[in-house]
Amino acid sequence: MRRVPFSFELHPARSPQIARQLPDRIARLVAAGPEFVSVTYGAGGSSQDASLDVLKHVIEHHPQVRTMAHLTCVGSTVQAAHDTVRTFMDAGVHSFLAVRGDLPAGSPPDAFPGDIRSAAELVQLIHAVQSERRPWREVAIPGTPGIMLDRDGRERIAIAVAAFPNGHPSSRSWQQDIDTLLAKQAAGANLGISQMIFHADDYFRMVDAARAAGVEFPILPAITPVTTPAGLARNLELSGERAPEAFAAALAAEQNEARRREIGVDFAADLTRRLLDGGAPGIHLYTRNMHEVPLAVLARVGLIDEARFAQLIAPDFTGATPVEEPA
Ligand code: FAD
């Protein structure tokens, strides 16, 4: 079986029904052995309590897995951002994905609300809060993207940032995106996570350009496994990425739900394989709070074995780690 780090993105439940099911889905995802699970955060702090509740749930019920809190800074004062970071650290969160957040709809692009104007400034702020709490010296762990230990073996917070294989929609040029990544690195970011990817080449082109410019931190490619034409259209609209034409046509031509699901899993698994074969340091899966399809993708790539996959999606799954067969 391939041993490659994989991670999952969750978000606060958007309905009471999903909220009731989320603990079970999280248990199944965590039991697959992710490197970390990240939890999104509404721009402007709109989901702060809900995001924190999901993170606290994972910390309390699944202490074996690392958590990563997304944080946004748009519209925030410096004081409020400090307070938020402290609140998350007090809850036991040691890793962050620092993103700016989108401007409120209809805002002119130059009318930036709040004190913190970019993700790089938020990275600096998180470091400042951390060093108020305990000073660190970094030692990278080979083969483990984004995790640092200090000289005493304590885990240092990982600060991830967003990376855009086809440029951020508000960027004036490709060079500006690479400069933004360099600014994030200079601010202290130690991991990149990409916008959702539909074409492996887009990821490799960005990584090559970033490396040539001096960006050293690992950049995880992110994939959203989609299994319906509507889901694909929604994700393309959200991300602004170009459509994978053959996959879109195959999904649209298939009316049977189970076969459409297979087409979606195959596409995501093939993309994951190409990313890993080309040298990506791991894979980050946007789960949309579902477990079955992301786990099926990992099983198809060989990152979890088929027998374990069957246990993880079984109706009677209990969350218990199965007893290993003697070697
Ligand atoms: P920044 O890197 O600060 O800036 C984005 C762009 O603005 C840059 O690429 C650059 O073109 C320009 N720019 C930045 N600084 C400067 C400067 N000093 N001068 C000139 N131009 C500049 N949003 C949420 O609300 N919640 C989430 O949980 C969330 N999670 C995400 C996770 C990932 C992996 C990704 C890829 C995105 C996520 N987003 C999230 C979306 C993100 O907030 C938006 O894409 C936002 O518009 C940009 O955030 P950023 O951190 O890239 O911003």
Side-chain angles (χ1 to χ4, degrees):
M1 209 174 63
R2 279 175 105 157
R3 296 236 173 259
V4 176
F6 56 85
S7 47
F8 297 123
E9 179 186 288
L10 301 167
H11 56 79
R14 297 198 180 106
S15 73
Q17 194 198 358
I18 301 292
R20 278 194 298 278
Q21 293 174 358
L22 197 53
D24 175 67
R25 296 178 184 183
I26 291 174
R28 293 168 189 264
L29 289 166
V30 168
E35 192 68 21
F36 63 86
V37 295
S38 77
V39 180
T40 63
Y41 186 88
S46 53
S47 76
Q48 177 171 332
D49 290 346
S51 299
L52 196 52
D53 284 347
V54 178
L55 288 158
K56 283 178 174 167
H57 172 88
V58 177
I59 290 165
E60 185 184 338
H61 297 275
H62 309 286
Q64 74 276 25
V65 71
R66 286 192 307 131
T67 49
M68 177 182 283
H70 296 213
L71 281 188
T72 65
C73 56
V74 64
S76 176
T77 62
V78 168
Q79 186 57 52
H82 266 264
D83 292 346
T84 302
V85 174
R86 277 196 208 100
T87 303
F88 277 69
M89 286 186 183
D90 288 345
V93 177
H94 298 297
S95 301
F96 294 90
L97 171 58
V99 288
R100 189 193 64 185
D102 285 324
L103 304 180
S107 318
D110 51 351
F112 196 86
D115 296 342
I116 309 167
R117 299 179 63 86
S118 70
E121 289 178 38
L122 180 58
V123 172
Q124 281 175 324
L125 183 143
I126 295 169
H127 274 300
V129 176
Q130 185 202 18
S131 42
E132 278 167 17
R133 296 164 69 95
R134 63 211 277 213
W136 299 84
R137 288 172 191 277
E138 293 180 9
V139 182
I141 311 174
T144 316
I147 305 178
M148 304 277 180
L149 296 183
D150 74 348
R151 287 192 179 154
D152 301 326
R154 296 173 305 181
E155 192 174 307
R156 179 187 196 278
I157 51 170
I159 306 188
V161 289
F164 295 84
N166 288 310
H168 186 274
S170 71
S171 257
R172 283 182 292 274
S173 67
W174 171 245
Q175 189 54 47
Q176 188 183 348
D177 285 292
I178 300 298
D179 290 347
T180 304
L181 274 182
L182 277 170
K184 292 173 179 181
Q185 174 169 277
N190 46 32
L191 179 67
I193 302 183
S194 82
Q195 176 62 284
M196 59 183 91
I197 286 172
F198 294 95
H199 306 268
D201 292 352
D202 293 348
Y203 167 80
F204 292 120
R205 199 179 52 246
M206 171 188 66
V207 171
D208 288 348
R211 294 281 173 263
V215 175
E216 291 173 356
F217 53 67
I219 301 176
L220 289 174
I223 291 184
T224 303
V226 285
T227 57
T228 62
L232 178 60
R234 199 168 48 249
N235 282 291
L236 290 171
E237 191 188 333
L238 273 175
S239 64
E241 294 297 300
R242 66 196 165 93
E245 300 292 353
F247 171 53
L251 267 188
E254 181 57 71
Q255 302 306 316
N256 177 284
E257 202 181 312
R259 282 200 296 270
R260 237 175 15 201
R261 179 184 170 285
E262 285 304 292
I263 292 171
V265 170
D266 273 343
F267 176 78
D270 184 54
L271 189 53
T272 302
R273 248 183 248 110
R274 278 191 279 143
L275 288 161
L276 296 178
D277 290 348
I283 192 83
H284 187 65
L285 289 171
Y286 295 167
T287 66
R288 295 174 299 124
N289 285 351
M290 311 292 275
H291 65 280
E292 197 164 332
V293 169
L295 292 173
V297 172
L298 294 175
R300 189 102 9 130
V301 180
L303 298 183
I304 52 179
D305 71 36
E306 287 291 342
R308 185 64 175 139
F309 170 62
Q311 289 170 332
L312 293 174
I313 63 163
D316 60 350
F317 172 79
T318 61
T321 306
V323 177
E324 298 273 351
E325 288 285 347

Coordinates of all heavy atoms in Angstrom, one line a residue, residues 34 39 41 53 91 96 105 164 176 190 285:
P34 N -5.8 10.3 8.4 CA -5.3 11.5 7.8 C -4.2 12.2 8.6 O -4.1 12.0 9.8 CB -6.5 12.5 7.7 CG -7.4 12.0 8.9 CD -7.2 10.5 9.0
V39 N -10.7 22.8 9.1 CA -12.1 23.2 9.2 C -12.2 24.6 8.7 O -11.5 25.5 9.2 CB -12.6 23.1 10.7 CG1 -14.1 23.6 10.8 CG2 -12.4 21.7 11.2
Y41 N -13.7 28.5 7.7 CA -14.0 29.6 8.6 C -14.7 30.6 7.7 O -14.2 31.0 6.7 CB -12.7 30.2 9.2 CG -12.9 31.2 10.2 CD1 -13.0 30.9 11.6 CD2 -12.8 32.6 9.9 CE1 -13.1 31.9 12.6 CE2 -12.9 33.6 10.9 CZ -13.0 33.2 12.2 OH -13.1 34.2 13.2
D53 N -16.5 24.8 17.2 CA -17.2 23.6 17.7 C -16.8 22.3 17.0 O -16.6 21.3 17.6 CB -18.8 23.8 17.6 CG -19.3 24.7 18.6 OD1 -18.6 25.1 19.6 OD2 -20.5 25.1 18.4
A91 N -8.2 26.4 22.8 CA -9.0 25.2 22.5 C -8.2 24.0 22.1 O -8.7 22.9 21.9 CB -10.1 25.5 21.5
F96 N -2.9 26.4 11.6 CA -3.8 27.3 11.0 C -3.6 27.4 9.5 O -2.5 27.2 9.0 CB -3.6 28.8 11.6 CG -4.0 28.9 13.0 CD1 -3.0 28.6 14.0 CD2 -5.3 29.1 13.4 CE1 -3.3 28.7 15.3 CE2 -5.6 29.2 14.8 CZ -4.6 29.0 15.8
A105 N -19.7 41.0 -1.0 CA -20.1 41.1 -2.4 C -20.4 42.6 -2.7 O -21.0 43.3 -1.9 CB -21.4 40.3 -2.6
F164 N -2.7 29.4 -5.6 CA -3.7 29.4 -6.7 C -3.0 29.0 -8.0 O -2.3 29.8 -8.6 CB -4.4 30.8 -6.8 CG -5.2 31.2 -5.6 CD1 -4.6 31.7 -4.5 CD2 -6.6 30.9 -5.6 CE1 -5.4 32.0 -3.4 CE2 -7.3 31.2 -4.5 CZ -6.7 31.7 -3.4
Q176 N 2.3 38.3 -9.9 CA 1.8 38.8 -8.6 C 1.5 37.7 -7.7 O 1.7 37.8 -6.5 CB 0.6 39.7 -8.9 CG 0.2 40.4 -7.6 CD -1.1 41.3 -7.8 OE1 -1.5 41.5 -8.9 NE2 -1.7 41.7 -6.7
N190 N 4.6 27.9 6.5 CA 5.4 26.7 6.2 C 4.7 25.6 5.5 O 5.2 24.5 5.4 CB 6.1 26.2 7.5 CG 5.1 26.1 8.7 OD1 3.9 25.9 8.4 ND2 5.5 26.4 9.9
L285 N -8.0 16.6 0.5 CA -9.3 16.4 -0.1 C -10.4 17.3 0.5 O -10.6 17.2 1.8 CB -9.7 14.9 0.0 CG -9.0 13.9 -0.8 CD1 -9.3 12.5 -0.4 CD2 -9.2 14.1 -2.3

